[in-house]
Amino acid sequence: MIAESGSQQADTGDDVDAIAAPAPARRFIAAPPLVPEQQVARREGLPFLTFVAIVILAGLAHLTGAPVFISLALLATGLAGLAMHLHARRRVHRTVVLLDETTARSRAEIETLADRMWEMQESEERFRGLIDALGDLVIHRDRDGYIVYANKVFADLVETDQRDLAGKTLTELGIEVGIVPDAAFSDHECLSSTDVAIRTPSGPRWFSWIELSVRDKDSGSVSHRAIARDITARKRAESSLITARERAEYASQAKSRFLATVSHEIRTPMNGIMGMARLLADTSLSPEQQTYVGAISTSASALLALIEDLLDYSKIEAGRFDPEPQPMSVREIADNIIELLAARAFAKDIGLGCHVEPDVPQLITADPGRVRQVLLNLIGNAIKFTDSGGVLVTVARARTESRDRICFTIADTGPGLREEDMERIFEEFEQADGTSTRAHGGAGLGLTISKRLVAAMGGTISVSSRLGQGSEFVFEIPATEATEAPQGRLNALAGRRAVILSRNTVEADAIARTIRANGGTAGIATTVAQAASFADGCDVLLVDAAMEDGDGRLLKRLRQGGFSDCEAITLIAPTDRGMLGEFRASGYATFLARPVRGGTLLRVLLTSHAPAFAQPQPEKRRTPALRASSDRLQGLSVLIAEDNDINAMLARATLLKAGHRVKVVGNGKAAVEAVTSAGHKHRFDVVLMDLHMPVMDGLDAIAAIRRHEEETSAPPVPIMVLSADSQEKTRHAVLAHGASGFVTKPLDPDALVNAVEGQVAA
């Protein structure tokens, strides 16, 4: 048997004094012999004495004359007893040997079992010590949630003696961790996880509680074993991140409000500067005064472009840019931007041309405002950095089995870029030339904004360049929901042969590409001698007005050089319109305005024997104002609600100049009173409503007017909102409040008149 640790007494069969010293940690007590040795000795001597006595009796019987058979019987009896004794002694010996062997084996087995139990106890103690050292909580609960075992870390955490935890529930200790119901682990086990908060004297601590609930297959008994790790630091970090995110969101909202305010406050005076400069330019001015007014307009436009870039960059950084896809015409956007930027190119005496491939879809779904902004940035940069040659814009379609994309290419003949510059020009506030002696200014934000806008639309942008040989910027956007262009005009110019005479090879190349793409042939010449080599078979001649003299001598020389039967068309810049009469007298059949639109070029070339100087119809759609009768649009009654005197004066002067009647009020309440008190005969045709005004703002004024119209069954008056806040959400908000349109400041006088007349004509 195994003796327990501590003080013990051993009984050896004799009287032994008690051992006062403590026993070792574990020792074995030997079992006493089964038969005492003295008893064994006594038992072994008794049979031998009996045999001697029988022999003596047999001898005496023989000496006394007893019969021989009696002596022999006695001797036989003694020998038989001795034999039986010897046999019994062998059996006893074998039994003792077997008992000794069994006792030895039992002792060995007991010692082995004790060693194993001791090792298991030591292993369990080491395991518990390791768990405690890791700092994890270990809890074993029974089916009803009572604690069977909990480690020392848990006991220290709840400040309870480890031996007192058995039989308690976690709820009694202030810990809310429920028991997984038996139905949750019908397949014999269920692993659950949760985060648990435990109150401690030093404050709440969080633990990641993972518990394995097991049902024994045979007995059906249930146990819940959990291990929990301290995640207080992580929870505090998460809390800090949430707080930081909330602060960042609040800061972003404050930034948005600041941007809206700054946009309004900057655009309002800019509207006055640019608008008044436009009005002043339409008055009788001396050449010197016209130069000064032009400088004001140019500077104001540059400042406005910089402000737009900064505001756009801030909105993108704040994560408030969301594309607004809608059906758009790629051709119309490209042609409109080329026309818009043509004045800059002509002022630098460089060419600007655009070619759209015939297979480009008629419509795609994209964000037209952002596509326009990217093109303005890229083409504007190309014009700014190009001093000779020109800029060519090409729009093509890149279609494969897996994708369909629209590719815009802007190639210039500027100074080009070094390889290291191409890697950084798309970064914030970076320029190819960042030195203090650079020739071109700017904030270095245009390309950064363009890259982010293109990426937001699911596209890509890249640049390729060689120093001294110009640059080529390419950006692609998905051709989503493409509507194919009509296929009947792909070879519309088949059989036509054109010759283009112009020193501006960039624009000439764009025209030639359009002719060739539609089935015709075209040659480009920069001199009369070069043009003569293309005269054979030519049926249309396009001549740059910049090369023609007022008396038409160039056309006469061309006629003499082999172009006698060709239809002559002159290419004029906006500044050459005053010479149209002279060109007509010189023999030109019609004209094309530079930069030449592809659609307009096709219509002119497809019209045989066009009337002399018939005005080519523009490709772009005519505004509703132009479709309406002139009598209907003359003398409109317009109400302007604007609290800024300069902006009110600008809008009033612009509309008066267009022949309309104008009334101005300074706040929204006055606007509501003016509209609601006017009779049907004196009803305003259009209302221009500023968004931010004292007493009553624009949105409240619009709502009040719409309520009055519903109550009186009056037809709704068109209300145009004037605002310097160009954010899309502002535009949507005013339209949702009942506005009919939206006009962004700074106001363009022509755009304002068209917008007002368009509301009535629509």
Side-chain angles (χ1 to χ4, degrees), residues 326-362:
Q326 56 186 285
M328 55 164 273
S329 171
V330 177
R331 288 181 174 84
E332 184 175 350
I333 286 181
D335 287 336
N336 288 344
I337 293 174
I338 291 297
E339 287 185 350
L340 180 64
L341 298 177
R344 298 188 194 178
F346 297 157
K348 298 184 67 174
D349 196 22
I350 61 174
L352 178 61
C354 178
H355 168 62
V356 181
E357 295 286 349
D359 64 338
V360 171
Q362 184 175 5

Short mmCIF file of all heavy atoms in Angstrom, two decimals, residues 326-362:
data_model
loop_
_atom_site.label_atom_id
_atom_site.label_comp_id
_atom_site.label_asym_id
_atom_site.label_seq_id
_atom_site.Cartn_x
_atom_site.Cartn_y
_atom_site.Cartn_z
N GLN A 326 -24.70 59.16 -65.96
CA GLN A 326 -25.90 59.44 -66.72
C GLN A 326 -25.55 59.36 -68.20
O GLN A 326 -24.36 59.42 -68.57
CB GLN A 326 -26.47 60.82 -66.37
CG GLN A 326 -25.47 61.95 -66.56
CD GLN A 326 -26.01 63.27 -66.08
OE1 GLN A 326 -26.85 63.87 -66.75
NE2 GLN A 326 -25.53 63.72 -64.92
N PRO A 327 -26.52 59.20 -69.09
CA PRO A 327 -26.20 59.14 -70.52
C PRO A 327 -25.51 60.42 -70.99
O PRO A 327 -25.95 61.53 -70.66
CB PRO A 327 -27.58 58.96 -71.17
CG PRO A 327 -28.43 58.35 -70.11
CD PRO A 327 -27.95 58.94 -68.82
N MET A 328 -24.45 60.29 -71.73
CA MET A 328 -23.69 61.44 -72.22
C MET A 328 -23.15 61.13 -73.61
O MET A 328 -22.89 59.99 -73.96
CB MET A 328 -22.53 61.78 -71.29
CG MET A 328 -21.58 60.65 -71.00
SD MET A 328 -20.00 61.17 -70.28
CE MET A 328 -19.05 61.50 -71.77
N SER A 329 -22.98 62.19 -74.40
CA SER A 329 -22.42 62.08 -75.74
C SER A 329 -20.94 62.42 -75.69
O SER A 329 -20.57 63.56 -75.34
CB SER A 329 -23.14 63.02 -76.71
OG SER A 329 -22.47 63.07 -77.95
N VAL A 330 -20.10 61.46 -76.02
CA VAL A 330 -18.66 61.69 -76.00
C VAL A 330 -18.28 62.73 -77.05
O VAL A 330 -17.45 63.62 -76.79
CB VAL A 330 -17.92 60.36 -76.25
CG1 VAL A 330 -16.42 60.60 -76.31
CG2 VAL A 330 -18.25 59.36 -75.16
N ARG A 331 -18.87 62.64 -78.25
CA ARG A 331 -18.55 63.59 -79.32
C ARG A 331 -18.89 65.02 -78.91
O ARG A 331 -18.10 65.94 -79.12
CB ARG A 331 -19.31 63.23 -80.59
CG ARG A 331 -18.82 61.99 -81.30
CD ARG A 331 -19.65 61.75 -82.57
NE ARG A 331 -19.11 60.65 -83.34
CZ ARG A 331 -19.38 59.37 -83.11
NH1 ARG A 331 -20.19 59.05 -82.10
NH2 ARG A 331 -18.85 58.43 -83.86
N GLU A 332 -20.08 65.20 -78.34
CA GLU A 332 -20.50 66.56 -77.99
C GLU A 332 -19.61 67.16 -76.92
O GLU A 332 -19.24 68.34 -77.01
CB GLU A 332 -21.96 66.53 -77.52
CG GLU A 332 -22.52 67.91 -77.24
CD GLU A 332 -24.00 67.87 -76.90
OE1 GLU A 332 -24.62 66.81 -77.07
OE2 GLU A 332 -24.52 68.90 -76.46
N ILE A 333 -19.24 66.37 -75.92
CA ILE A 333 -18.38 66.89 -74.85
C ILE A 333 -17.01 67.27 -75.41
O ILE A 333 -16.48 68.35 -75.12
CB ILE A 333 -18.25 65.86 -73.72
CG1 ILE A 333 -19.54 65.80 -72.91
CG2 ILE A 333 -17.07 66.20 -72.81
CD1 ILE A 333 -19.50 64.84 -71.76
N ALA A 334 -16.44 66.39 -76.24
CA ALA A 334 -15.11 66.68 -76.80
C ALA A 334 -15.15 67.93 -77.67
O ALA A 334 -14.28 68.81 -77.56
CB ALA A 334 -14.62 65.48 -77.60
N ASP A 335 -16.15 68.04 -78.56
CA ASP A 335 -16.23 69.22 -79.44
C ASP A 335 -16.47 70.49 -78.65
O ASP A 335 -15.89 71.55 -78.95
CB ASP A 335 -17.33 69.01 -80.47
CG ASP A 335 -16.95 68.01 -81.55
OD1 ASP A 335 -15.74 67.83 -81.77
OD2 ASP A 335 -17.86 67.41 -82.16
N ASN A 336 -17.32 70.42 -77.61
CA ASN A 336 -17.60 71.62 -76.81
C ASN A 336 -16.35 72.12 -76.10
O ASN A 336 -16.10 73.33 -76.02
CB ASN A 336 -18.70 71.33 -75.80
CG ASN A 336 -20.06 71.19 -76.45
OD1 ASN A 336 -20.26 71.61 -77.59
ND2 ASN A 336 -21.02 70.62 -75.73
N ILE A 337 -15.55 71.20 -75.57
CA ILE A 337 -14.35 71.62 -74.85
C ILE A 337 -13.32 72.19 -75.81
O ILE A 337 -12.63 73.17 -75.49
CB ILE A 337 -13.78 70.43 -74.06
CG1 ILE A 337 -14.76 70.05 -72.94
CG2 ILE A 337 -12.41 70.75 -73.47
CD1 ILE A 337 -14.39 68.81 -72.19
N ILE A 338 -13.21 71.60 -76.99
CA ILE A 338 -12.28 72.13 -77.99
C ILE A 338 -12.68 73.56 -78.36
O ILE A 338 -11.83 74.46 -78.45
CB ILE A 338 -12.26 71.23 -79.24
CG1 ILE A 338 -11.61 69.88 -78.90
CG2 ILE A 338 -11.51 71.90 -80.38
CD1 ILE A 338 -10.16 69.99 -78.48
N GLU A 339 -13.97 73.79 -78.57
CA GLU A 339 -14.42 75.15 -78.89
C GLU A 339 -14.17 76.11 -77.73
O GLU A 339 -13.81 77.27 -77.93
CB GLU A 339 -15.90 75.13 -79.25
CG GLU A 339 -16.20 74.53 -80.61
CD GLU A 339 -17.67 74.64 -80.97
OE1 GLU A 339 -18.47 74.99 -80.08
OE2 GLU A 339 -18.00 74.34 -82.13
N LEU A 340 -14.37 75.63 -76.51
CA LEU A 340 -14.18 76.48 -75.34
C LEU A 340 -12.73 76.92 -75.20
O LEU A 340 -12.46 78.08 -74.82
CB LEU A 340 -14.64 75.74 -74.09
CG LEU A 340 -14.52 76.47 -72.76
CD1 LEU A 340 -15.43 77.70 -72.75
CD2 LEU A 340 -14.87 75.55 -71.60
N LEU A 341 -11.80 76.00 -75.47
CA LEU A 341 -10.38 76.31 -75.28
C LEU A 341 -9.70 76.83 -76.53
O LEU A 341 -8.50 77.12 -76.51
CB LEU A 341 -9.65 75.05 -74.79
CG LEU A 341 -10.12 74.48 -73.44
CD1 LEU A 341 -9.37 73.20 -73.12
CD2 LEU A 341 -9.91 75.51 -72.33
N ALA A 342 -10.44 76.95 -77.63
CA ALA A 342 -9.83 77.39 -78.88
C ALA A 342 -9.23 78.79 -78.76
O ALA A 342 -8.16 79.07 -79.33
CB ALA A 342 -10.86 77.35 -80.00
N ALA A 343 -9.91 79.68 -78.02
CA ALA A 343 -9.41 81.05 -77.90
C ALA A 343 -8.01 81.07 -77.29
O ALA A 343 -7.15 81.86 -77.69
CB ALA A 343 -10.37 81.89 -77.07
N ARG A 344 -7.74 80.20 -76.31
CA ARG A 344 -6.40 80.15 -75.71
C ARG A 344 -5.37 79.71 -76.73
O ARG A 344 -4.27 80.26 -76.80
CB ARG A 344 -6.39 79.17 -74.53
CG ARG A 344 -7.30 79.52 -73.38
CD ARG A 344 -7.03 78.57 -72.22
NE ARG A 344 -8.06 78.61 -71.21
CZ ARG A 344 -8.08 77.85 -70.13
NH1 ARG A 344 -7.09 76.95 -69.94
NH2 ARG A 344 -9.05 77.94 -69.25
N ALA A 345 -5.74 78.71 -77.53
CA ALA A 345 -4.78 78.22 -78.53
C ALA A 345 -4.53 79.27 -79.60
O ALA A 345 -3.37 79.50 -80.00
CB ALA A 345 -5.31 76.93 -79.15
N PHE A 346 -5.59 79.91 -80.10
CA PHE A 346 -5.41 80.93 -81.14
C PHE A 346 -4.61 82.11 -80.63
O PHE A 346 -3.85 82.74 -81.37
CB PHE A 346 -6.77 81.39 -81.65
CG PHE A 346 -7.56 80.29 -82.33
CD1 PHE A 346 -8.94 80.37 -82.43
CD2 PHE A 346 -6.93 79.18 -82.85
CE1 PHE A 346 -9.67 79.37 -83.05
CE2 PHE A 346 -7.63 78.17 -83.47
CZ PHE A 346 -9.01 78.25 -83.57
N ALA A 347 -4.78 82.44 -79.32
CA ALA A 347 -4.02 83.56 -78.76
C ALA A 347 -2.53 83.26 -78.76
O ALA A 347 -1.70 84.18 -78.83
CB ALA A 347 -4.50 83.85 -77.34
N LYS A 348 -2.14 81.99 -78.68
CA LYS A 348 -0.73 81.60 -78.72
C LYS A 348 -0.28 81.21 -80.12
O LYS A 348 0.87 80.80 -80.31
CB LYS A 348 -0.48 80.42 -77.77
CG LYS A 348 -0.78 80.72 -76.31
CD LYS A 348 -0.42 79.55 -75.41
CE LYS A 348 1.07 79.33 -75.36
NZ LYS A 348 1.46 78.31 -74.38
N ASP A 349 -1.21 81.34 -81.10
CA ASP A 349 -0.92 81.00 -82.49
C ASP A 349 -0.48 79.54 -82.64
O ASP A 349 0.47 79.22 -83.35
CB ASP A 349 0.17 81.93 -83.06
CG ASP A 349 0.21 81.87 -84.58
OD1 ASP A 349 -0.81 81.48 -85.19
OD2 ASP A 349 1.27 82.18 -85.16
N ILE A 350 -1.18 78.66 -81.94
CA ILE A 350 -0.95 77.22 -82.08
C ILE A 350 -2.25 76.57 -82.50
O ILE A 350 -3.33 77.15 -82.34
CB ILE A 350 -0.43 76.58 -80.78
CG1 ILE A 350 -1.45 76.74 -79.64
CG2 ILE A 350 0.92 77.16 -80.38
CD1 ILE A 350 -1.08 76.01 -78.37
N GLY A 351 -2.16 75.37 -83.04
CA GLY A 351 -3.34 74.69 -83.53
C GLY A 351 -4.01 73.86 -82.45
O GLY A 351 -3.39 73.44 -81.46
N LEU A 352 -5.30 73.63 -82.65
CA LEU A 352 -6.07 72.80 -81.74
C LEU A 352 -7.10 72.04 -82.56
O LEU A 352 -7.96 72.66 -83.21
CB LEU A 352 -6.77 73.66 -80.68
CG LEU A 352 -7.65 72.91 -79.67
CD1 LEU A 352 -6.84 71.92 -78.86
CD2 LEU A 352 -8.36 73.90 -78.75
N GLY A 353 -6.99 70.73 -82.57
CA GLY A 353 -7.90 69.92 -83.37
C GLY A 353 -8.42 68.73 -82.61
O GLY A 353 -7.83 68.30 -81.60
N CYS A 354 -9.54 68.18 -83.10
CA CYS A 354 -10.16 67.03 -82.44
C CYS A 354 -10.67 66.06 -83.51
O CYS A 354 -11.30 66.48 -84.49
CB CYS A 354 -11.31 67.49 -81.55
SG CYS A 354 -12.19 66.13 -80.73
N HIS A 355 -10.39 64.78 -83.29
CA HIS A 355 -10.89 63.74 -84.19
C HIS A 355 -11.54 62.65 -83.37
O HIS A 355 -10.93 62.11 -82.43
CB HIS A 355 -9.76 63.15 -85.03
CG HIS A 355 -10.15 61.91 -85.76
ND1 HIS A 355 -11.14 61.89 -86.71
CD2 HIS A 355 -9.68 60.62 -85.67
CE1 HIS A 355 -11.28 60.66 -87.17
NE2 HIS A 355 -10.41 59.87 -86.56
N VAL A 356 -12.79 62.32 -83.71
CA VAL A 356 -13.53 61.26 -83.04
C VAL A 356 -13.73 60.13 -84.04
O VAL A 356 -14.29 60.34 -85.12
CB VAL A 356 -14.89 61.77 -82.52
CG1 VAL A 356 -15.64 60.65 -81.79
CG2 VAL A 356 -14.70 62.96 -81.60
N GLU A 357 -13.28 58.94 -83.69
CA GLU A 357 -13.41 57.79 -84.58
C GLU A 357 -14.88 57.45 -84.81
O GLU A 357 -15.72 57.63 -83.91
CB GLU A 357 -12.68 56.58 -83.99
CG GLU A 357 -11.18 56.73 -83.88
CD GLU A 357 -10.50 56.64 -85.23
OE1 GLU A 357 -11.18 56.24 -86.21
OE2 GLU A 357 -9.30 56.97 -85.32
N PRO A 358 -15.22 56.98 -86.01
CA PRO A 358 -16.63 56.69 -86.32
C PRO A 358 -17.26 55.62 -85.43
O PRO A 358 -18.48 55.63 -85.23
CB PRO A 358 -16.58 56.22 -87.78
CG PRO A 358 -15.32 56.77 -88.34
CD PRO A 358 -14.35 56.80 -87.19
N ASP A 359 -16.46 54.68 -84.91
CA ASP A 359 -17.06 53.60 -84.11
C ASP A 359 -17.28 53.99 -82.66
O ASP A 359 -17.74 53.14 -81.87
CB ASP A 359 -16.19 52.35 -84.19
CG ASP A 359 -14.81 52.56 -83.57
OD1 ASP A 359 -14.40 53.73 -83.46
OD2 ASP A 359 -14.15 51.56 -83.21
N VAL A 360 -16.96 55.21 -82.27
CA VAL A 360 -17.23 55.66 -80.91
C VAL A 360 -18.74 55.70 -80.69
O VAL A 360 -19.48 56.22 -81.53
CB VAL A 360 -16.61 57.04 -80.65
CG1 VAL A 360 -17.07 57.61 -79.31
CG2 VAL A 360 -15.09 56.95 -80.68
N PRO A 361 -19.24 55.14 -79.56
CA PRO A 361 -20.70 55.09 -79.35
C PRO A 361 -21.32 56.48 -79.34
O PRO A 361 -20.68 57.48 -78.98
CB PRO A 361 -20.83 54.42 -77.97
CG PRO A 361 -19.55 53.67 -77.78
CD PRO A 361 -18.50 54.47 -78.49
N GLN A 362 -22.57 56.52 -79.73
CA GLN A 362 -23.28 57.79 -79.71
C GLN A 362 -23.50 58.27 -78.28
O GLN A 362 -23.36 59.46 -77.98
CB GLN A 362 -24.62 57.64 -80.43
CG GLN A 362 -25.40 58.95 -80.56
CD GLN A 362 -26.66 58.76 -81.38
OE1 GLN A 362 -26.98 57.65 -81.78
NE2 GLN A 362 -27.36 59.85 -81.64
#
